[in-house]
Amino acid sequence: MYCTKKISDDLTWVGADDRRLAMFEGVYSVPDGVSYNSYLLTDEKTVLFDTVDKAVAKTFFENVEHALGGRKLDYLVVQHMEPDHSATIEGLLLRHPETTVVCNDKIKKMIGQFFSAELESKVQTVKEGDTLETGRHTLTFVMAPMVHWPEVMVTYDTADKILFSADAFGTFGALNGAIFADEVDFERDFLDEARRYYTNIVGKYGTQVQALLKKASAIDIEMICPLHGFVWRSNLGDYIGKYAKWSAYQPEETGVMIAYASVYGNTENTANILACRLRDRGIKTVMYDVSVTPASEIVAASFKWSHLVFASTTYNAGIFVTMDELLRDLASHNLQNRTVAFIQNGSWAPTSGKLMKEIIGPLKGMTVLEETVNITSSLKEDQLADIDRLVDAIAATVPRFEAEDDPKVPAIDPNALFKLSYGLYVVTAQDENGRDNGCITNAVMQVTDSPNRIAIGVNKANCTHDMIAKSGKFSVSVLTEDAPFKLFQHFGFRSGRDVDKFQEFKHADRCANGLYYLSKYSNALISGTVIASEDCGTHTLFIADVTEACILSDAPSVTYEYYFEHIKPKPPVSAGPQKGFVCKVCGYVYEGDVLPADFICPLCKHGADAFEPLK
């Protein structure tokens, strides 16, 4: 029986959840399952975006047939050839021999590798920037090599501003009936799994992810449809910001991740003492036993935290087995830009510290602290000073707020004013000719409830200001957390003197005083008639009697802080100046000023002539 979900009027999710899979790719535990996403666009032409893993083939085929409703399938867009997204291509084309496969040259070659070469005859190849017209929709194809296979591409629907992002922006975990990220508490229940998914699956390829993010920043994206996990339709900037940090190898949080390998508890005891003394200094800590916690979780934590401590017993004259595997896993995932320290233990010949440094030390941007704690079997009282020295060394590298040299000298830090609690609102007005306008403001407050009066502050440079000053009336739409950045751009970054802001704006209705209010992305409407005004320099403060007030939704109001933290796009996070050359075949990046003439790509084995300078 089919089980589909509507994404928009003409886009349907036809994927499936798999809760029986124990190990994703045979490596990563997925206790909460995983989703395999596929999307069907029904326009004048029908388009299916990717297929699914063979484990959920039956449900997938039933979903596709139901969503097609008897129509033929015109196109299958293949963005990624990993079998969890391509295993059912052959079965789909047997059911729909009329279908044309749209993909790039590398994918076409892989189709021949995974399946019968006869399928290649059904292929229509595309390259960067090519488009496919389906009726109302125009699909634009963007290459995304090594995110995380060399053949990967993504697709952008210019009509509905949807990015079909392949494996980017995915997460572990079954969808459990939801389809949109805003239907669940994503930060609480899924962010850790999103981080674990990114760092372990894509983490090695930060430079390539940055290249894709740069392309994505140039287009207007209202929705992201990944191949695993939830569809994103709100707070896109927040999630894209996570990818920007992860791909630049910048920590999300300041604190210490301690991973330890202990056979009889003595190394663990030392790690616990270190954690306690760090906490006494106000430094956050998390701890992992590498023999118990899956490596994928510790890899994800290493990407999250700014400081890392690895504590290991010496085992067979080397590093304890699970710690050795973890460190090599971290090195293979290209972890960078962390402050690192080591604790070693050994009953007769401690060598683990030196060997751990040899694995982690050469990684890019690593600051390795000299203060190494050496234990012979167990920590002794006189060695607590070594722990304290390590705590001091870590604390010295943790950013702190420092007091001014002379606290009595008055100073004004503009950032302090942002600590005040603000909301964000669209204030609307109308001129004497009936022309409507609106602008963003953060200054709206209730003055008194008897009588009901509010005050709003409006910049004199705004066209809306002059309309209110002349007409004496306005309406306030209280914006919600799901308001997209483009709404703030629309009402806040353009002047009503130059554009008609309501000419093409879809989500507006009239209130009792005849002015527009926002019927979407707003949880309340408040209208007022001006009874007084105060010149406040750049702004005018209008005081008004409330003439209408109603609740539009239960969505939480957006605050100024929330806007800057979650809605406004973050400046691109750069891993530093990128000098090097990229392989045009597979996307491998060689870092350096000069590419050796005899260089051979370690991934696709092409020579130096297949490389071009990084842009």
Side-chain angles (χ1 to χ4, degrees):
M1 182 65 178
Y2 64 85
C3 180
T4 62
K5 298 284 286 187
K6 292 294 289 185
I7 305 297
S8 65
D9 289 342
D10 45 11
L11 186 68
T12 304
W13 176 83
V14 292
D17 285 330
D18 184 358
R19 298 181 185 83
R20 291 190 172 186
L21 182 68
M23 302 293 286
F24 186 79
E25 295 185 354
V27 181
Y28 310 112
S29 60
V30 282
D32 298 317
V34 67
S35 72
Y36 301 111
N37 297 342
S38 176
Y39 308 91
L40 181 69
L41 179 68
T42 50
D43 199 1
E44 292 176 20
K45 299 289 186 180
T46 58
V47 184
L48 183 68
F49 294 92
D50 296 290
T51 65
V52 298
D53 189 87
K54 61 183 179 182
V56 294
K58 181 177 182 295
T59 299
F60 168 67
F61 290 133
E62 290 176 349
N63 287 348
V64 171
E65 296 311 316
H66 171 72
L68 281 171
R71 295 182 62 181
K72 68 177 184 177
L73 179 60
D74 295 298
Y75 296 103
L76 167 65
V77 174
V78 179
Q79 302 181 113
H80 183 23
M81 274 302 295
E82 200 167 6
D84 57 333
H85 307 299
S86 68
T88 45
I89 287 178
E90 191 169 41
L92 179 78
L93 295 179
L94 286 173
R95 289 168 170 80
H96 292 277
E98 76 280 6
T99 302
T100 298
V101 178
V102 179
C103 63
N104 59 43
D105 286 329
K106 296 187 186 72
I107 291 176
K108 179 180 179 180
K109 181 180 178 182
M110 285 190 178
I111 287 175
Q113 294 172 184
F114 278 101
F115 306 108
S116 167
E118 295 177 1
L119 293 187
E120 294 183 56
S121 64
K122 294 179 172 290
V123 169
Q124 172 184 326
T125 59
V126 293
K127 58 184 184 299
E128 181 83 23
D130 282 354
T131 60
L132 176 66
E133 302 285 344
T134 68
R136 186 175 74 85
H137 298 263
T138 299
L139 306 177
T140 302
F141 303 103
V142 179
M143 301 304 115
M146 297 316 299
V147 187
H148 65 119
W149 276 23
E151 88 297 356
V152 174
M153 69 181 193
V154 300
T155 307
Y156 178 63
D157 173 12
T158 59
D160 288 345
K161 298 179 172 52
I162 298 174
L163 179 68
F164 297 91
S165 62
D167 263 352
F169 304 109
T171 184
F172 291 134
L175 300 178
N176 300 327
I179 188 64
F180 297 106
D182 54 67
E183 294 181 287
V184 299
D185 191 331
F186 188 86
E187 186 166 356
R188 183 192 68 193
D189 297 332
F190 290 95
L191 180 57
D192 287 345
E193 286 296 81
R195 184 187 301 107
R196 188 166 71 95
Y197 173 89
Y198 172 85
T199 55
N200 287 276
I201 304 297
V202 193
K204 180 177 182 177
Y205 305 107
T207 301
Q208 289 84 355
V209 173
Q210 290 263 305
L212 178 59
L213 291 175
K214 185 177 181 180
K215 293 179 182 179
S217 67
I219 57 179
D220 182 11
I221 302 172
E222 294 186 7
M223 191 180 295
I224 299 176
C225 292
L227 290 179
H228 294 293
F230 298 100
V231 172
W232 287 81
R233 64 181 176 183
S234 61
N235 295 339
L236 273 63
D238 202 22
Y239 198 35
I240 292 172
K242 292 292 185 186
Y243 262 64
K245 271 188 177 291
W246 296 336
S247 60
Y249 305 102
Q250 299 298 323
E252 290 173 73
E253 291 206 37
T254 299
V256 184
M257 190 281 291
I258 304 172
Y260 65 88
S262 187
V263 179
Y264 296 108
N266 292 305
T267 306
E268 177 185 12
N269 176 248
T270 303
N272 272 326
I273 292 171
L274 173 66
C276 288
R277 299 201 171 193
L278 286 168
R279 284 284 180 172
D280 289 342
R281 299 284 288 271
I283 299 171
K284 294 179 181 179
T285 58
V286 293
M287 297 184 68
Y288 298 94
D289 183 338
V290 300
S291 296
V292 175
T293 307
S296 65
E297 295 185 21
I298 308 177
V299 168
S302 299
F303 272 73
K304 178 179 181 179
W305 294 97
S306 60
H307 292 63
L308 312 175
V309 175
F310 299 101
S312 178
T313 185
T314 299
Y315 197 77
N316 286 336
I319 307 168
F320 190 77
V321 179
T322 49
M323 178 64 79
D324 186 73
E325 291 175 350
L326 169 67
L327 295 178
R328 296 187 188 281
D329 204 8
L330 283 171
S332 71
H333 282 87
N334 201 26
L335 183 65
Q336 302 173 20
N337 307 323
R338 297 296 187 274
T339 299
V340 188
F342 300 95
I343 297 173
Q344 70 171 359
N345 192 356
S347 293
W348 60 90
T351 60
S352 59
K354 173 178 177 292
L355 296 173
M356 287 191 291
K357 284 182 182 179
E358 289 176 357
I359 297 173
I360 295 297
L363 297 180
K364 189 175 180 180
M366 291 298 193
T367 300
V368 179
L369 300 179
E370 294 299 323
E371 291 76 8
T372 297
V373 177
N374 299 292
I375 311 165
T376 304
S377 299
S378 63
L379 188 71
K380 299 298 188 290
E381 184 76 25
D382 59 2
Q383 291 181 297
L384 290 175
D386 295 336
I387 296 288
D388 288 335
R389 278 189 285 274
L390 179 53
V391 170
D392 288 340
I394 292 172
T397 64
V398 173
R400 296 284 183 181
F401 292 107
E402 296 183 3
E404 295 286 339
D405 292 338
D406 186 356
K408 295 181 181 178
V409 177
I412 297 177
D413 181 353
N415 292 319
L417 300 178
F418 288 108
K419 296 296 184 182
L420 295 173
S421 179
Y422 293 101
L424 281 166
Y425 316 88
V426 170
V427 174
T428 54
Q430 192 178 78
D431 67 13
E432 62 273 15
N433 298 316
R435 185 168 180 266
D436 295 287
N437 195 42
C439 68
I440 297 287
T441 184
N442 65 350
V444 175
M445 63 175 291
Q446 182 176 7
V447 177
T448 177
D449 64 355
S450 183
N452 271 313
R453 283 180 180 163
I454 61 173
I456 64 170
V458 185
N459 194 309
K460 294 177 182 177
N462 288 343
C463 180
T464 305
H465 171 277
D466 296 345
M467 291 181 174
I468 297 173
K470 291 179 180 179
S471 70
K473 64 179 182 179
F474 61 83
S475 289
V476 176
S477 298
V478 183
L479 298 180
T480 55
E481 290 182 353
D482 60 348
F485 181 63
K486 66 171 186 175
L487 185 144
F488 295 92
Q489 289 177 302
H490 184 77
F491 285 103
F493 298 172
R494 300 190 298 173
S495 172
R497 296 183 179 90
D498 303 322
V499 296
D500 183 345
K501 296 184 183 181
F502 286 98
Q503 184 176 15
E504 296 181 357
F505 189 75
K506 301 177 181 177
H507 309 298
D509 288 319
R510 298 281 184 184
C511 50
N513 65 3
L515 301 180
Y516 274 126
Y517 71 94
L518 273 60
S519 56
K520 187 176 182 182
Y521 307 123
S522 175
N523 61 20
L525 155 69
I526 305 171
S527 297
T529 298
V530 177
I531 61 167
S533 64
E534 182 71 26
D535 188 326
C536 298
T538 59
H539 289 62
T540 296
L541 187 70
F542 295 105
I543 301 171
D545 283 332
V546 175
T547 58
E548 182 180 7
C550 63
I551 293 175
L552 304 175
S553 80
D554 293 328
S557 302
V558 66
T559 64
Y560 213 49
E561 181 182 18
Y562 188 94
Y563 166 76
F564 279 104
E565 185 65 28
H566 300 284
I567 298 176
K568 185 179 180 181
K570 308 292 191 299
V573 179
S574 173
Q578 294 294 314
K579 293 184 178 180
F581 301 82
V582 60
C583 177
K584 293 180 287 186
V585 178
C586 70
Y588 176 81
V589 173
Y590 173 90
E591 296 184 9
D593 294 327
V594 179
L595 180 71
D598 59 350
F599 185 77
I600 302 297
C601 179
L603 292 179
C604 68
K605 309 305 180 187
H606 282 71
D609 58 349
F611 283 73
E612 62 183 9
L614 279 172
K615 295 181 175 65

